[in-house]
């Protein structure tokens, strides 16, 4: 199946990105210590965190493709979201360490080796660029988090390149910790955004690309459907959703008409990436009180 093949390619892509990043972060740590640049050291620590995160994605993504079983009836899709949450925590921790190292240097700037910074920045752009190209085809929330992140890394390296050029001709050493802090603040902002998005998946919110009211309106346009209520949509991993809804039809609706309604409704749902669809068909004024007053319906 082509779907399984995509997943496998995605796995492969994450694996390659992981090894590229691990190799590169070791190179950077060495380079950062040699050039005495906190901006480079920040990037090194940060990229090391990325390697851990990628390794985790690699392992958990493998799990997330497994079929469901008696205990995990929806399968393991949410493992990729779990990986995204753990990645975020690792990156936030790394960012904390960077801030702690960079802030004192604002008051007491240290001279970095500008030529070395320049060379490391060139290598940084090349390596992160290669990793982004590897991940380009991924579609899950997790892989989008990872590739977005690598693009930010490239921007960080471009900034490092510019600062190293300035430091070649001036003694504005304070630019090094300033850049380090700027990169870190930018990273924290994006990590928080992604973390909130991942937590929303766990909190069963309606996926961003789905408007429940519009979906109900679409269902109501199916011939013989009188009304629709109790529609709930949530997502397993940001891509594959789950839908439940109640469809009211007239008392005398025939079996074949109900089957036609079901198939049209499922067709609409599948187009919205709802892979698990559960329908309740109600005839006329049938009572469907569910003993839960908390959900948002009229
Ligand atoms: Zn990074
Ligand atoms: Zn409900
Ligand atoms: Zn109902």
């Amino acid at each position: 199946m082509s779907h399984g093949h995509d997943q496998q390619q995605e796995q492969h892509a994450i694996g390659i990105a992981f090894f590229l990043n691990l190799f590169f972060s070791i190179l950077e740590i060495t380079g950062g210590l040699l050039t005495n640049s906190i901006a480079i050291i920040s990037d090194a620590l940060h990229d090391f965190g990325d390697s851990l995160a990628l390794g985790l994605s690699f392992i958990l993504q493998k799990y997330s493709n497994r079929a469901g079983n008696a205990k995990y009836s929806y399968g393991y899709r949410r493992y990729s979201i779990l990986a995204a949450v753990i990645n975020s925590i690792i990156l936030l921790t790394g960012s904390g360490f960077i801030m702690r190292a960079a802030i004192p240097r604002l008051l007491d700037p240290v001279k970095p080796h500008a030529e070395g910074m320049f060379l490391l920045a060139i290598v940084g752009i090349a390596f992160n660029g290669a990793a982004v190209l590897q991940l380009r085809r991924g579609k899950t929330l997790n892989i989008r988090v990872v590739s977005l992140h690598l693009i930010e890394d490239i921007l960080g390296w471009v900034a490092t390149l510019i600062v190293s050029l300035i430091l070649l001709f001036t003694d504005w050493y304070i630019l090094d910790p300033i850049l380090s802090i700027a990169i870190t603040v930018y990273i924290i902002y994006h990590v928080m955004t992604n973390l909130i998005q991942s937590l929303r998946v766990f909190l069963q919110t309606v996926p961003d690309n789905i408007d429940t009211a519009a979906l109900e309106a679409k269902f109501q346009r199916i011939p013989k459907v009188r009304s629709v209520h109790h529609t709930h949509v949530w997502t397993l991993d940001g891509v594959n959703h789950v839908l439940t809804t109640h469809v009211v039809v007239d008392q005398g609706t025939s079996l074949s008409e109900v089957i036609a309604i079901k198939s049209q409704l499922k067709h609409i749902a599948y187009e919205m990436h709802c892979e698990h669809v559960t329908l309740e068909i109600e005839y006329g004024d049938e009572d469907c009180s569910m003993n839960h007053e908390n959900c948002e319906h009229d």
Side-chain angles (χ1 to χ4, degrees):
M1 263 199 10
S2 76
H3 189 62
H5 188 66
D6 282 353
Q7 299 274 27
Q8 234 175 15
Q9 269 190 339
E10 188 168 309
Q11 268 295 106
H12 188 66
I14 292 180
I16 290 177
F18 165 66
F19 284 112
L20 269 178
N21 232 66
L22 186 68
F23 171 75
F24 179 58
S25 53
I26 292 166
L27 189 86
E28 265 183 285
I29 289 168
T30 318
L33 292 171
L34 289 175
T35 55
N36 197 23
S37 157
I38 186 68
I40 302 262
I41 292 171
S42 322
D43 268 320
L45 261 181
H46 171 86
D47 269 307
F48 186 68
D50 286 355
S51 307
L52 290 181
L54 282 165
L56 211 60
S57 303
F58 184 68
I59 296 163
L60 294 188
Q61 195 90 39
K62 215 167 222 168
Y63 267 103
S64 76
N65 294 334
R66 287 192 184 170
N69 54 41
K71 196 74 190 168
Y72 288 79
S73 67
Y74 280 115
Y76 290 80
R77 287 268 157 74
R78 287 215 172 154
Y79 270 57
S80 69
I81 300 298
L82 182 64
V85 169
I86 296 172
N87 290 358
S88 300
I89 293 167
I90 291 172
L91 291 172
L92 284 179
T93 310
S95 300
F97 280 112
I98 292 166
M99 289 302 235
R100 233 184 100 206
I103 290 168
R105 287 206 182 193
L106 285 176
L107 303 171
D108 188 13
V110 181
K111 182 184 190 302
H113 189 277
E115 290 90 344
M117 282 179 76
F118 178 79
L119 288 175
L120 285 166
I122 298 279
V123 177
I125 291 166
F127 266 82
N128 283 293
V132 169
L133 290 179
Q134 280 297 324
L135 291 174
R136 216 174 28 173
R137 291 194 193 92
K139 286 184 198 74
T140 63
L141 181 60
N142 184 44
I143 205 156
R144 270 188 284 133
V145 168
V146 172
S147 53
L148 175 85
H149 180 84
L150 290 171
I151 290 168
E152 289 162 21
D153 287 0
I154 294 178
L155 293 178
W157 282 112
V158 170
T160 307
L161 187 77
I162 294 167
V163 165
S164 73
L165 282 172
I166 295 171
L167 291 180
L168 277 173
F169 303 106
T170 68
D171 58 356
W172 301 344
Y173 306 139
I174 199 168
L175 285 179
D176 186 46
I178 287 175
L179 174 62
S180 165
I181 290 166
I183 292 171
T184 309
V185 168
Y186 190 69
I187 287 160
I188 291 171
Y189 170 76
H190 280 283
V191 168
M192 287 309 292
T193 310
N194 292 324
L195 185 61
I196 289 166
Q197 214 182 342
S198 300
L199 291 178
R200 282 203 182 123
V201 173
F202 284 119
L203 295 174
Q204 316 255 78
T205 60
V206 177
D208 284 341
N209 59 338
I210 289 190
D211 176 352
T212 312
L215 201 58
E216 283 196 332
K218 242 183 193 175
F219 293 158
Q220 259 157 26
R221 282 198 291 274
I222 297 171
K224 303 277 178 183
V225 170
R226 203 206 269 176
S227 65
V228 182
H229 61 273
H230 256 312
T231 302
H232 293 277
V233 188
W234 65 99
T235 185
L236 291 175
D237 59 0
V239 177
N240 302 286
H241 311 320
V242 182
L243 171 102
T244 66
T245 189
H246 291 200
V247 178
V248 182
V249 297
D250 287 325
Q251 201 90 53
T253 310
S254 73
L255 183 61
S256 62
E257 283 169 333
V258 166
I259 291 170
I261 289 168
K262 277 183 175 174
S263 91
Q264 286 175 73
L265 195 146
K266 278 184 184 163
H267 184 73
I268 295 168
Y270 290 152
E271 276 184 342
M272 304 303 295
H273 296 281
C274 297
E275 62 168 28
H276 289 274
V277 178
T278 308
L279 306 176
E280 174 118 32
I281 303 286
E282 289 160 22
Y283 293 88
D285 299 319
E286 195 182 328
D287 176 30
C288 78
S289 49
M290 298 189 79
N291 204 17
H292 70 306
E293 277 102 48
N294 290 338
C295 68
E296 228 273 299
H297 306 289
D298 30 285

